């Protein structure tokens, strides 16, 4: 795991954001073996074979988890974005559907 990503997550302003980001990070590593991670555009990016697979994007009141290469997948209600990338905003108190996110991430990353 990348030290810069660890530091980024540890320095988030609220404990719930740190917890959610750590869980999303673990999910990505389990769903995509040998995934690479780095800070790019001031947020954690995850790459498979040099191609973007996922992004964790914290904001003032939410964590957006973006899945790339999503055009061929069916996303449940609650996801936003164009066909090629979809994201789910997670807010304090939400129970993120980590199992659904993992399945979507596996499906999206199979093509890269």
């Amino acid at each position: 795991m990348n030290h810069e990503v660890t530091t980024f997550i540890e320095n988030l302003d609220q404990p719930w954001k740190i917890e959610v980001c750590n869980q999303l990070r673990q999910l990505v590593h389990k769903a995509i073996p040998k995934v690479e991670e780095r800070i790019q555009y001031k947020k954690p990016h995850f790459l498979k074979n040099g191609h973007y697979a996922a992004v964790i994007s914290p904001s003032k009141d939410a964590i957006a988890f973006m899945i790339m290469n999503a055009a061929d997948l069916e996303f449940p209600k609650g996801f936003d974005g164009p066909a090629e990338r979809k994201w789910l905003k997670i807010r304090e108190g939400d129970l993120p559907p980590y199992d659904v996110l993992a399945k979507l991430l596996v499906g999206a990353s199979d093509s890269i």
Side-chain angles (χ1 to χ4, degrees):
M1 291 197 185
N2 182 299
H3 177 69
E4 289 179 325
V5 173
T6 300
T7 301
F8 177 92
I9 293 171
E10 288 174 351
N11 287 325
L12 290 171
D13 63 345
Q14 296 178 359
W16 75 268
K17 290 181 183 178
I18 295 169
E19 180 181 337
V20 167
C21 286
N22 278 322
Q23 289 185 24
L24 291 170
R25 184 183 192 191
Q26 293 299 322
L27 177 148
V28 172
H29 280 273
K30 287 180 185 176
I32 306 173
K34 299 181 183 177
V35 69
E36 296 175 47
E37 60 179 24
R38 65 180 174 211
I39 297 295
Q40 190 167 355
Y41 308 113
K42 299 181 182 180
K43 56 190 113 180
H45 283 65
F46 300 88
L47 296 90
K48 178 183 175 185
N49 300 324
H51 298 278
Y52 294 115
V55 180
I56 296 174
S57 182
S59 64
K60 182 178 178 179
D61 67 342
I63 302 291
F65 183 66
M66 183 183 300
I67 298 175
M68 311 299 274
N69 308 301
D72 295 332
L73 300 176
E74 296 261 344
F75 281 80
K77 187 177 177 179
F79 284 81
D80 291 312
E84 67 275 3
R85 61 186 183 278
K86 297 286 185 183
W87 59 83
L88 178 68
K89 284 196 175 186
I90 302 165
R91 291 183 168 77
E92 186 173 13
D94 287 353
L95 297 173
Y98 292 113
D99 57 336
V100 172
L101 294 173
K103 288 176 186 175
L104 290 167
L105 190 56
V106 167
S109 67
D110 277 348
S111 65
I112 54 175

